[in-house]
Amino acid sequence: VEFDGPCMKTEVPGPRSKILAQQLESIQSVVQVNFFCDYEESKGNYLVDVDGNRMLDVYTQIASIPIGYNHPALTKVMTDPKNMGTFVNRPALGMMPPEQFSEKLVNGLMAVAPKGFSRVQTMACGSCSNENAYKAIFIWYRVRAGVLSFFFQVPGCPDLTLLSFMGGFHGRTLGCLATTHTKAIQKLDVPSFDWPIASFPQLRYPLDQFERENAREEARCLEEAEDLIVKWNQKGRHVAGVVIEPIQAEGGDNHASFDFYTKLRGITKKHGCAFLVDEVQTGGGSTGKFWAHEHWGLDDPADIVSFSKKMLTGGYYQKDSFQPDKPFRIFNTWLGDHTKNLLLTEVIKVIKTENLLDQAKRSGKVMLEGLYDLQDKYPHLLSKARGIGTFCAIDVKDEDTRNLLLLKARNKGKTLSIMNTIYDVVFFLSGSDQLWCSRNTMLIFSWISLM
Amino acid sequence: VEFDGPCMKTEVPGPRSKILAQQLESIQSVVQVNFFCDYEESKGNYLVDVDGNRMLDVYTQIASIPIGYNHPALTKVMTDPKNMGTFVNRPALGMMPPEQFSEKLVNGLMAVAPKGFSRVQTMACGSCSNENAYKAIFIWYRVRAGVLSFFFQVPGCPDLTLLSFMGGFHGRTLGCLATTHTKAIQKLDVPSFDWPIASFPQLRYPLDQFERENAREEARCLEEAEDLIVKWNQKGRHVAGVVIEPIQAEGGDNHASFDFYTKLRGITKKHGCAFLVDEVQTGGGSTGKFWAHEHWGLDDPADIVSFSKKMLTGGYYQKDSFQPDKPFRIFNTWLGDHTKNLLLTEVIKVIKTENLLDQAKRSGKVMLEGLYDLQDKYPHLLSKARGIGTFCAIDVKDEDTRNLLLLKARNKGKTLSIMNTIYDVVFFLSGSDQLWCSRNTMLIFSWISLM
Ligand code: FES
């Protein structure tokens, strides 16, 4: 039976959530907890909380539920006795992989490999995916330099760097954190690497009214990035790679044109830097293509593409040349979690057989139209409606207004989304279990430019 | 039905493993792959490979299988329909935990919390456990310094450091890697932090013949550690914490006396450094106590204790004061994997009801006696037999000899362990599914001092 809409019984968090939060508080900080969920009862786009509130969920566990709650295809994986051994015994995938490992990779990750990539390394989350991609880049850069032998005099720990962008988010472990530049609180008090950071374009909206200004802004950022590479190379702290998201997500849903990325890719090639495209948030289809970077239309868009979240497993695709020269240079105990590969294989089947990429495109159009209408109707509150596929966002006037909107919507069971218009749009999207869950529509209202 | 011993059909890797490795090679590096496994057929201490070879497995997925393969208690968790929602829908535990989250923590991680710890933070692997423990230490040090306000003039990224030990292993992400000092290849080409590193005692065996020398060696290392703290504090690069394993595991099974750890704990208190005990390898019971640091017999042994591997989930216990002052300072999308908490709760029940800690003590004694006998019998090959519980090791003359021993044993179905004597010991341990799996007996023969 499918849910036909939200159904609210209490304010959120309700009394049962509050009791559970009190209990948890004796063991853990609960300042980040929104409410407690009943994951058995949740279904499709509807999240049910422990007070029986059924909410339209377009936040989907920080954008990590690819085809809705309790999708029957996934339940089937779990009840297949053939899979029991995989779920109960977690293998050290790098040393003793299970019999079906290759097959699941071929039908899972490799079935959606970006053009030009024939190799994939699994990891367990977005952070270790990027951390290890960074290591692969440093090793590649040094090994290549060793062959060319024109840079380095001494072996050991070199002074290599990665270039990242203001507003970028690539994770919170110490290596990733050196390339993450969103909120100050994330980096405060934690030692970091001194690596170059370039400006990310701040586009003005609506795009068609600011074509010239935006082109100038992007040219400025590209010039700055190239300058940084040249300068840091000159001072002996070589830029081994450039890391960027196809859409800055945690940093506020910042888009740049496909032309910007095309030119940036050119710069990396010119200066011999690896190009790492972080698709942890954007990968999995919500932009209407399986990988957001496919929109650029390039033959050679990247050297490494990292993923996690909606892909269920973490990991990265890599060009052959990024395979380290020796064993155990990229390694850890589990190297991912094969249970996630089993589930992902089914997710990918569902996305293909049900044409969910097309649906994301269609739904995204409706959603973006809805956002345009909203900002026309409330120009004092809303601005900068933007998006590709269902990966949409709009800016709210200020933080208080945003929080009020979020809270009101949630208590109307249109959780984490907002207002009737959007609700209708998203509701339209969620008529069936098989329908596409938007990436993270909460972000539509959660990112703000405070001017 | 329980397996009554190994049963070998081919050499290992066998023909089917070789074919699968060829297939995988087109997608991934396979240089680290030993052989492919049939995890459905494996049981207890016996790992079955894809060629039907049944091997006594004391390597247990790099020491990460706590109570043997396909333990019925774990299979039951998987087939309980009530748990389906947890396995199919991975929650963002920090924001929307499932209803049973507190309860599973109380009956799982908190049921085995080290004395003095009432708080636990879940993570997904050993690396993010340590990375976030490091961050918690830096934040704690700065917040405390802020209150006392005698160190720091400026906010922002400080020049704080962590002290670690030669031969220590704490993970391979960039933050962890700065404290990992085992093989050079792990760090080569990767940028690192410049943090202080102290010597770890190199004890001479048999211990009772070298009491005075060993006491002197430990005193030397303690003095060096304290000197480093003082010097680095003086030069303004304050040592916020000290990180150490109760037994150095990846670095070669290096033990120090309980007195050494007691004194080191004293030094950290004297100088206001946090003390992080990394129990990723040692935690879970194989030393005969649930946590190896309990052997020290201290009332206040640590400020943070990190874990992973046999605990199935990663994470760390922390003193209240290490809880960051603001939300989202320690955070990521998933903050662990609740499916592992469900399994761990059962593992802990099994360990308790079947008195597996006692069994680890008893078995360890037998094993260590066996190792003593072996080194008496082959003094030209073996030396330095040592261990607590089943966390035992012995040194082999050189790398070639070790590899030969490993290979011969494996092809006799006494995989990853070695020789009849040991085999008999371990076989004695593995007569039942409910018997204790040794930590990682492969290590008995895999670590060598090449003099
Ligand atoms: S760092 Fe990715 S799971 Fe731990």
Side-chain angles (χ1 to χ4, degrees):
Chain A
V1 193
E2 284 160 17
F3 292 139
D4 57 359
C7 171
M8 301 303 287
K9 305 205 162 144
T10 71
E11 290 227 310
V12 178
R16 177 100 185 105
S17 265
K18 285 182 183 159
I19 289 170
L20 289 170
Q22 268 166 23
Q23 287 171 9
L24 185 57
E25 197 162 28
S26 65
I27 304 173
Q28 276 194 352
S29 163
V30 294
V31 284
Q32 298 145 175
V33 170
N34 288 353
F35 50 84
F36 284 75
C37 302
D38 184 339
Y39 288 102
E40 314 301 324
E41 285 302 314
S42 302
K43 205 166 161 57
N45 278 348
Y46 289 95
L47 182 61
V48 177
D49 76 3
V50 290
D51 290 282
N53 297 301
R54 184 204 302 156
M55 295 168 276
L56 181 66
D57 182 15
V58 282
Y59 188 52
T60 56
Q61 311 302 319
I62 320 186
S64 72
I65 301 281
I67 53 172
Y69 294 103
N70 290 307
H71 195 290
L74 302 187
T75 311
K76 213 171 138 206
V77 175
M78 294 303 309
T79 46
D80 185 345
K82 280 211 314 286
N83 293 333
M84 189 66 71
T86 302
F87 282 89
V88 168
N89 314 300
R90 187 174 184 177
L93 290 173
M95 300 184 81
M96 293 176 205
E99 174 148 29
Q100 314 76 6
F101 189 52
S102 302
E103 182 202 317
K104 292 294 170 193
L105 290 183
V106 168
N107 295 324
L109 288 169
M110 292 316 298
V112 292
K115 204 166 54 171
F117 289 93
S118 58
R119 301 183 83 76
V120 70
Q121 175 63 62
T122 51
M123 288 285 162
C125 78
S127 289
C128 41
S129 302
N130 281 331
E131 289 270 345
N132 282 285
Y134 294 0
K135 287 169 70 173
I137 287 172
F138 291 129
I139 293 167
W140 163 85
Y141 196 82
R142 288 272 297 183
V143 167
R144 204 188 42 146
V147 173
L148 303 177
S149 120
F150 61 91
F151 285 150
F152 303 103
Q153 311 305 319
V154 287
C157 286
D159 231 5
L160 294 180
T161 64
L162 283 182
L163 181 124
S164 53
F165 287 85
M166 286 309 302
F169 184 97
H170 305 286
R172 297 159 183 270
T173 48
L174 295 194
C176 294
L177 199 59
T179 56
T180 286
H181 318 287
T182 47
K183 304 200 191 77
I185 191 76
Q186 286 159 353
K187 297 167 78 93
L188 190 68
D189 302 339
V190 180
S192 193
F193 293 107
D194 177 26
W195 290 349
I197 312 164
S199 302
F200 189 85
Q202 302 292 307
L203 301 189
R204 297 178 67 184
Y205 289 81
L207 292 177
D208 53 11
Q209 282 176 34
F210 293 99
E211 273 178 27
R212 191 178 305 174
E213 289 85 344
N214 288 338
R216 216 182 296 134
E217 166 70 355
E218 293 197 335
R220 181 186 72 83
C221 294
L222 288 167
E223 201 183 310
E224 186 182 321
E226 185 163 13
D227 272 1
L228 283 168
I229 294 170
V230 170
K231 281 198 189 115
W232 283 67
N233 282 353
Q234 274 168 1
K235 68 179 172 179
R237 301 210 51 214
H238 292 261
V239 178
V242 171
V243 53
I244 198 164
E245 301 155 272
I247 303 168
Q248 287 192 335
E250 294 287 322
D253 271 31
N254 304 318
H255 294 251
S257 72
F258 303 153
D259 181 61
F260 171 82
Y261 285 99
T262 303
K263 286 181 175 147
L264 183 63
R265 176 51 168 154
I267 291 171
T268 63
K269 286 195 168 183
K270 180 172 161 196
H271 295 282
C273 313
F275 194 48
L276 164 51
V277 177
D278 177 341
E279 295 248 20
V280 169
Q281 282 252 22
T282 48
S286 51
T287 67
K289 294 192 186 277
F290 202 91
W291 303 104
H293 74 258
E294 294 175 59
H295 291 281
W296 308 342
L298 301 182
D299 280 334
D300 182 21
D303 296 306
I304 300 193
V305 175
S306 60
F307 53 81
S308 183
K309 290 199 182 256
K310 278 185 292 298
M311 300 299 286
L312 306 180
T313 176
Y316 55 86
Y317 299 98
Q318 60 185 348
K319 294 263 188 74
D320 284 14
S321 49
F322 286 79
Q323 181 69 55
D325 52 333
K326 294 194 184 64
F328 296 107
R329 300 200 70 173
I330 299 290
F331 192 74
N332 59 48
T333 302
W334 289 313
L335 285 176
D337 184 342
H338 193 52
T339 64
K340 313 301 180 196
N341 293 334
L342 295 192
L343 292 167
L344 177 66
T345 307
E346 293 309 309
V347 166
I348 288 170
K349 261 191 222 153
V350 169
I351 290 177
K352 292 196 169 180
T353 55
E354 300 180 8
N355 290 314
L356 291 182
L357 293 184
D358 285 342
Q359 179 148 347
K361 269 178 225 150
R362 279 196 310 274
S363 319
K365 249 180 220 147
V366 179
M367 189 185 292
L368 195 54
E369 289 303 327
L371 292 176
Y372 288 145
D373 287 353
L374 270 178
Q375 74 183 10
D376 284 348
K377 205 166 156 192
Y378 305 102
H380 55 299
L381 292 177
L382 302 172
S383 62
K384 290 179 69 177
R386 58 201 183 274
I388 316 179
T390 60
F391 208 111
C392 294
I394 197 167
D395 282 13
V396 183
K397 183 175 144 259
D398 56 35
E399 199 170 347
D400 289 345
T401 314
R402 177 201 64 175
N403 292 347
L404 198 70
L405 285 171
L406 279 174
L407 214 66
K408 277 196 174 174
R410 194 210 266 169
N411 284 324
K412 285 186 175 174
K414 298 142 192 180
T415 335
L416 310 175
S417 171
I418 211 89
M419 292 194 210
N420 282 319
T421 327
I422 294 302
Y423 164 70
D424 288 338
V425 173
V426 183
F427 181 69
F428 167 73
L429 298 185
S430 59
S432 145
D433 270 339
Q434 290 126 30
L435 287 174
W436 190 259
C437 288
S438 97
R439 172 190 67 123
N440 190 338
T441 321
M442 178 183 158
L443 287 188
I444 288 180
F445 292 94
S446 76
W447 301 115
I448 315 147
S449 304
L450 285 168
M451 324 277 191
Chain B
V1 195
E2 283 159 17
F3 293 138
D4 57 358
C7 171
M8 300 303 285
K9 306 204 163 143
T10 71
E11 290 225 310
V12 179
R16 177 99 184 105
S17 266
K18 284 183 183 158
I19 289 171
L20 288 171
Q22 269 166 21
Q23 285 170 9
L24 184 58
E25 197 163 27
S26 65
I27 304 174
Q28 277 194 350
S29 162
V30 295
V31 283
Q32 298 143 174
V33 171
N34 288 353
F35 49 84
F36 284 75
C37 302
D38 185 339
Y39 287 103
E40 313 301 324
E41 286 301 313
S42 302
K43 206 167 161 55
N45 277 348
Y46 290 95
L47 181 61
V48 177
D49 77 1
V50 291
D51 290 282
N53 297 301
R54 184 204 304 156
M55 296 168 275
L56 181 66
D57 181 15
V58 283
Y59 187 51
T60 57
Q61 311 303 318
I62 320 185
S64 72
I65 300 282
I67 52 173
Y69 294 102
N70 290 308
H71 195 289
L74 302 187
T75 311
K76 215 172 137 206
V77 174
M78 293 303 311
T79 46
D80 185 343
K82 280 210 313 285
N83 293 333
M84 189 65 71
T86 301
F87 282 90
V88 168
N89 314 299
R90 186 173 186 180
L93 289 172
M95 300 184 83
M96 294 177 206
E99 174 147 28
Q100 314 77 6
F101 189 52
S102 302
E103 182 202 317
K104 291 295 169 194
L105 290 183
V106 168
N107 295 325
L109 288 170
M110 292 315 298
V112 292
K115 204 167 52 172
F117 288 93
S118 59
R119 302 184 83 76
V120 70
Q121 175 64 61
T122 51
M123 287 286 161
C125 78
S127 289
C128 40
S129 301
N130 282 331
E131 289 270 345
N132 282 285
Y134 294 0
K135 285 169 71 173
I137 287 173
F138 291 129
I139 293 168
W140 163 85
Y141 197 82
R142 287 271 297 181
V143 168
R144 205 186 42 144
V147 172
L148 303 176
S149 117
F150 62 90
F151 284 150
F152 303 104
Q153 311 305 320
V154 287
C157 284
D159 231 6
L160 294 179
T161 65
L162 283 181
L163 181 127
S164 54
F165 288 84
M166 286 309 301
F169 184 96
H170 305 286
R172 298 160 183 268
T173 47
L174 295 194
C176 295
L177 199 60
T179 58
T180 286
H181 318 287
T182 46
K183 305 201 191 79
I185 190 75
Q186 287 159 352
K187 296 167 78 91
L188 190 67
D189 303 338
V190 180
S192 193
F193 293 107
D194 177 26
W195 290 350
I197 311 163
S199 302
F200 189 85
Q202 302 292 307
L203 301 189
R204 297 178 67 183
Y205 289 82
L207 292 176
D208 53 10
Q209 282 176 35
F210 293 100
E211 273 177 27
R212 189 176 308 175
E213 290 85 344
N214 288 338
R216 214 182 296 134
E217 165 71 354
E218 293 196 336
R220 181 186 72 82
C221 294
L222 288 167
E223 201 183 310
E224 186 182 321
E226 185 164 12
D227 274 0
L228 282 168
I229 294 171
V230 170
K231 280 199 191 116
W232 283 67
N233 283 352
Q234 274 168 0
K235 67 178 172 179
R237 301 209 52 213
H238 292 261
V239 179
V242 171
V243 54
I244 197 164
E245 301 156 271
I247 302 167
Q248 287 192 335
E250 293 287 322
D253 272 30
N254 303 318
H255 294 251
S257 72
F258 303 152
D259 182 60
F260 171 81
Y261 285 99
T262 303
K263 287 181 174 147
L264 182 62
R265 175 52 168 154
I267 290 172
T268 63
K269 286 194 170 187
K270 180 172 163 197
H271 294 281
C273 314
F275 195 48
L276 165 50
V277 177
D278 177 342
E279 294 247 21
V280 169
Q281 282 251 23
T282 49
S286 52
T287 68
K289 295 193 186 276
F290 202 91
W291 302 104
H293 75 258
E294 295 175 58
H295 290 281
W296 308 342
L298 302 183
D299 280 333
D300 182 22
D303 296 305
I304 299 193
V305 175
S306 60
F307 53 81
S308 184
K309 290 197 183 260
K310 278 186 292 299
M311 300 300 284
L312 306 181
T313 176
Y316 55 87
Y317 299 99
Q318 60 185 347
K319 295 262 188 75
D320 285 13
S321 49
F322 286 79
Q323 181 69 55
D325 53 333
K326 294 193 183 66
F328 296 107
R329 301 200 71 172
I330 299 291
F331 192 74
N332 59 47
T333 301
W334 289 311
L335 285 174
D337 185 341
H338 193 52
T339 64
K340 313 302 180 197
N341 294 332
L342 295 191
L343 293 167
L344 176 66
T345 307
E346 294 307 309
V347 166
I348 287 171
K349 261 191 223 152
V350 169
I351 290 177
K352 292 196 167 179
T353 55
E354 299 180 9
N355 290 314
L356 292 182
L357 294 183
D358 285 343
Q359 179 146 346
K361 270 178 223 146
R362 282 197 308 275
S363 318
K365 249 180 220 148
V366 179
M367 190 185 291
L368 194 55
E369 288 303 326
L371 292 177
Y372 288 144
D373 287 353
L374 270 178
Q375 75 183 8
D376 284 350
K377 206 166 155 192
Y378 306 102
H380 55 297
L381 292 178
L382 302 172
S383 62
K384 290 180 67 179
R386 59 200 182 276
I388 315 178
T390 59
F391 209 110
C392 294
I394 197 167
D395 284 12
V396 182
K397 182 174 144 262
D398 56 35
E399 198 171 348
D400 288 346
T401 315
R402 176 201 63 173
N403 293 346
L404 199 69
L405 286 171
L406 279 174
L407 212 67
K408 275 196 176 174
R410 192 210 265 169
N411 285 323
K412 283 185 177 176
K414 298 141 192 181
T415 334
L416 312 173
S417 171
I418 212 88
M419 290 194 212
N420 283 318
T421 327
I422 295 299
Y423 163 70
D424 288 339
V425 173
V426 183
F427 181 69
F428 166 73
L429 299 185
S430 60
S432 145
D433 270 341
Q434 290 124 31
L435 287 173
W436 191 259
C437 287
S438 96
R439 172 187 71 120
N440 190 339
T441 321
M442 179 184 158
L443 287 189
I444 289 180
F445 291 95
S446 77
W447 302 114
I448 316 146
S449 304
L450 286 168
M451 324 274 193

